[in-house]
Amino acid sequence: MKAGTAILETFYQAAGQFVQNDELARLLKVPAARVNAENADLERLGYTIESHPHFGYRLLGTPDRLTDDDIKARLESFEASLKPRIIGSEILVFDETASTNDVVEHLAKSGAREGLVVFAESQTRGRGRHGRAWSSPRGKGLWFSVLLRPALPPAAASRITVAASVAVARAIRQTCCVDARIKWPNDVILNGRKVAGILTELRAEADEILLAILGIGIDVNCAIEDFPPEVAKIATSLQIETGHAQDRVALAAQVLGEFDECYHAALADFETVADEWARLCTTLGRQIVVAIAQRRIEGFAHALDGDGALLVRKDDGRIERVLGGDLAVKL
Ligand code: BTN
């Protein structure tokens, strides 16, 4: 582990308390006289560290910049139950990409391992579902993709999206203390407006998923002017809803920790994830209309099935499994 990551991990574990110089030296395996220089390196990167002759050092502020070191340090500082086993095994941060989903696909073809996460501070060709553009302004959100190689048949791929929406909703609730909810199939909403979207893309053969690329976009500190006009009517950001800027790095780490847990559960015991999804979901129990290409399916949103498909009870009593589309709740 790099020295910077180790110091940050210690500071995050200390949760704002002082850490003694000797303690830092022991953890970093450097002479005590070297600790000050290591902290100075972090200060040059924008971290604010207070030093006290008796109490040692404490972290007072962090820069609003995504780095692999900082995200890893936060993941390492989590308690065992939230420390990821696979997700975030490798983390790459780009200043700008076309789409992080494409970067992950490219790296997957050269043998990258499951759990790789690629973040970008901005995307020039971010995409959403149905080929729509996804606006990804620099430094305002979390735009990232995760490489997965799930042992699932392609028909059960929606489980991944379900797990990811639970993880994003949990992380937003935990980090920003707001009532994030899920709108089927892949939107996380706050006060009825979309704050995050999920795009799961597959490379599969008839009976097995070769790889899944989970793309997540979270509008963290976007202002309303950052959204294209057609999106501004339905979108919001965590900053707009809470009234202040949110810590993107803290949220990124929390999402990865939560997703690691939800992903394992989705593979081994999908029912527990589906139950939590149902509790967070604003769609179930409502009269809905789903538009899929030229088709419209109307009915009562009844439940999720074991593959993560939505079961819609139509007016004639028949149940239809719906795997995608644009959903509207009927008033
Ligand atoms: C949607 O709601 O339509 C899904 C939006 C997904 C956006 C994310 S941002 C990171 C990743 N890269 C992309 O090009 N898209 C996803």
Side-chain angles (χ1 to χ4, degrees):
M1 188 190 290
K2 286 191 245 166
T5 316
I7 303 188
L8 286 175
E9 181 191 334
T10 310
F11 282 142
Y12 291 133
Q13 262 162 0
Q17 301 300 308
F18 279 99
V19 185
Q20 290 285 354
N21 191 65
D22 291 352
E23 173 71 355
L24 280 173
R26 190 181 61 75
L27 289 166
L28 297 177
K29 300 187 183 67
V30 296
R34 173 84 206 136
V35 169
N36 202 25
E38 298 288 354
N39 280 326
D41 285 348
L42 284 175
E43 286 182 313
R44 271 190 288 279
L45 293 172
Y47 294 85
T48 311
I49 297 166
E50 182 184 352
S51 102
H52 187 281
H54 300 302
F55 302 145
Y57 298 91
R58 68 173 167 172
L59 183 63
L60 292 181
T62 59
D64 179 22
R65 190 180 325 112
L66 297 167
T67 61
D68 58 336
D69 277 355
D70 199 335
I71 300 168
K72 279 184 194 145
R74 293 181 201 239
L75 293 177
E76 286 298 324
S77 74
F78 286 161
E79 60 187 45
S81 66
L82 209 62
K83 209 178 268 189
R85 287 168 282 174
I86 294 185
I87 308 303
S89 48
E90 189 181 357
I91 296 175
L92 300 175
V93 181
F94 290 85
D95 183 53
E96 184 172 285
T97 59
S99 157
T100 53
N101 271 32
D102 294 341
V103 177
V104 165
E105 174 161 20
H106 177 75
L107 294 171
K109 284 182 183 148
S110 3
R113 282 190 301 146
E114 182 171 53
L116 163 75
V117 185
V118 171
F119 288 88
E121 286 288 10
S122 73
Q123 296 183 114
T124 52
R125 300 195 58 184
R127 61 176 177 272
R129 289 188 314 131
H130 309 304
R132 293 179 190 128
W134 180 267
S135 146
S136 320
R138 173 176 304 281
K140 298 284 182 90
L142 292 174
W143 330 120
F144 65 102
S145 304
V146 185
L147 170 60
L148 302 170
R149 299 185 187 275
L152 284 177
S158 292
R159 287 193 196 185
I160 298 168
T161 309
V162 169
S165 47
V166 170
V168 172
R170 270 193 199 174
I172 291 176
R173 294 170 81 87
Q174 163 80 22
T175 312
C176 310
C177 302
V178 287
D179 187 23
R181 298 263 158 186
I182 298 168
K183 176 176 172 244
W184 183 88
N186 69 337
D187 294 350
V188 176
I189 57 171
L190 257 186
N191 301 324
R193 284 172 170 254
K194 177 164 173 167
V195 73
I198 294 159
L199 174 71
T200 310
E201 296 181 316
L202 296 186
R203 300 293 166 257
E205 291 190 339
D207 54 357
E208 73 171 319
I209 295 177
L210 302 176
L211 60 99
I213 301 160
L214 170 71
I216 299 181
I218 308 179
D219 294 319
V220 183
N221 292 328
C222 306
I224 203 74
E225 310 78 69
D226 292 319
F227 297 116
E230 67 283 8
V231 173
K233 288 177 250 148
I234 53 159
T236 191
S237 75
L238 295 170
Q239 170 162 344
I240 293 169
E241 296 301 317
T242 60
H244 54 89
Q246 296 293 331
D247 183 337
R248 291 184 308 134
V249 192
L251 182 61
Q254 193 72 27
V255 174
L256 299 186
E258 301 287 1
F259 180 64
D260 191 82
E261 192 184 292
C262 293
Y263 177 58
H264 286 93
L267 298 182
D269 173 21
F270 181 60
E271 226 175 277
T272 56
V273 185
D275 286 350
E276 187 171 348
W277 184 92
R279 285 196 297 278
L280 290 168
C281 179
T282 56
T283 314
L284 293 186
R286 313 282 295 269
Q287 284 297 128
I288 52 137
V289 187
V290 184
I292 311 173
Q294 303 310 318
R295 268 192 83 203
R296 272 166 66 88
I297 301 166
E298 287 195 41
F300 179 78
H302 173 61
L304 273 193
D305 76 1
D307 286 338
L310 183 68
L311 300 178
V312 179
R313 194 170 61 233
K314 299 203 286 193
D315 291 347
D316 61 9
R318 281 184 304 144
I319 299 277
E320 177 142 359
R321 282 180 84 241
V322 189
L323 272 163
D326 284 325
L327 177 140
V329 172
K330 283 171 75 178
L331 299 171

